Amino acid sequence: YLDTITPQVGDKWRADEVFVKVKGDLKYLFALIDDETRFWIAKEVANRKQGHNASGLFRQAKEIAQTNPRVIITDGLPSYDEAYKQEFWTRDSDTRPKHIRHIRLQGDMNNNLMERFNGEFRDREKVTRGIKKTDSIMFDGYQIYHNYIRPHSSLDGQTPADKAGIKIDGDNKWLTL
């Protein structure tokens, strides 16, 4: 059902990765979130951080959102730059999204929103005492929880789905979904 919904997201997207242990093995959760609505658009689990082809993450985001961003913000990981060139780069600079990858804690651009998301995911991972398999329901389930169930204080108590124009009726949103 949720795969048939197109969220109405903004034109600035952020991507970052966080390490997770799956059955004791180090993996990376690559995630992409809309800046305006905080909607978690796309994700993928990778075996490594360096050398991972993140173009699948960007392609998935374009398919789900049915649009391209105006700006995409990442850290300096080369995987993002390569994926940006594969998925977004065009000769026409007017239609090409701007890729900002010189983020830092202080200065003109930071990625605090993604770092907060990473902490949010890490908190949930601790409660569940780790992840047992790469295709764990933990990844999809937490994405659903983040987008459709959990109200965000930065969104004035709304969920990212509310901000993205998706209405989930009922007192028990899990049951409705």
Side-chain angles (χ1 to χ4, degrees):
Y1 167 70
L2 296 178
D3 291 342
T4 65
I5 295 174
T6 301
Q8 302 304 307
V9 295
D11 60 3
K12 187 188 298 184
W13 298 352
R14 295 173 182 264
D16 197 24
E17 72 290 333
V18 61
F19 78 88
V20 295
K21 286 199 174 181
V22 177
K23 237 180 165 178
D25 294 330
L26 192 62
K27 305 282 184 186
Y28 290 88
L29 171 63
F30 283 75
L32 189 142
I33 292 180
D34 174 51
D35 204 56
E36 181 184 330
T37 64
R38 308 299 198 265
F39 196 88
W40 182 0
I41 302 171
K43 69 179 173 322
E44 63 184 9
V45 179
N47 290 326
R48 60 187 183 187
K49 177 178 174 177
Q50 298 294 336
H52 171 69
N53 184 353
S55 62
L57 179 73
F58 290 167
R59 192 174 318 112
Q60 184 186 113
K62 291 190 306 185
E63 289 171 9
I64 291 169
Q66 296 293 304
T67 189
N68 282 347
R70 185 180 48 79
V71 176
I72 187 147
I73 302 166
T74 66
D75 57 22
L77 185 68
S79 299
Y80 293 124
D81 193 46
E82 293 165 17
Y84 166 79
K85 289 173 184 169
Q86 282 183 318
E87 296 299 322
F88 295 113
W89 198 90
T90 65
R91 289 182 181 244
D92 182 4
S93 62
D94 292 336
T95 61
R96 178 178 60 224
K98 182 178 181 181
H99 184 201
I100 299 173
R101 58 189 200 135
H102 55 86
I103 60 167
R104 52 190 161 276
L105 291 175
Q106 297 172 340
D108 60 341
M109 187 60 63
N110 65 53
N111 216 10
N112 292 348
L113 186 138
M114 284 305 299
E115 295 304 333
R116 174 66 190 107
F117 167 78
N118 290 344
E120 179 186 319
F121 184 82
R122 176 81 58 232
D123 290 345
R124 183 66 195 151
E125 179 192 21
K126 284 180 184 176
V127 170
T128 61
R129 296 185 182 178
I131 299 170
K132 307 302 182 246
K133 51 188 183 173
T134 304
D135 63 347
S136 171
I137 190 65
M138 171 69 180
F139 298 114
D140 289 337
Y142 198 76
Q143 185 178 21
I144 291 168
Y145 176 74
H146 173 88
N147 284 339
Y148 298 95
I149 309 297
R150 181 181 177 269
H152 295 246
S153 60
S154 63
L155 299 175
D156 297 324
Q158 292 184 303
T159 66
D162 294 332
K163 290 295 276 189
I166 302 168
K167 181 78 172 134
I168 306 297
D169 293 321
D171 293 333
N172 186 336
K173 291 184 179 185
W174 278 118
L175 188 59
T176 302
L177 289 171

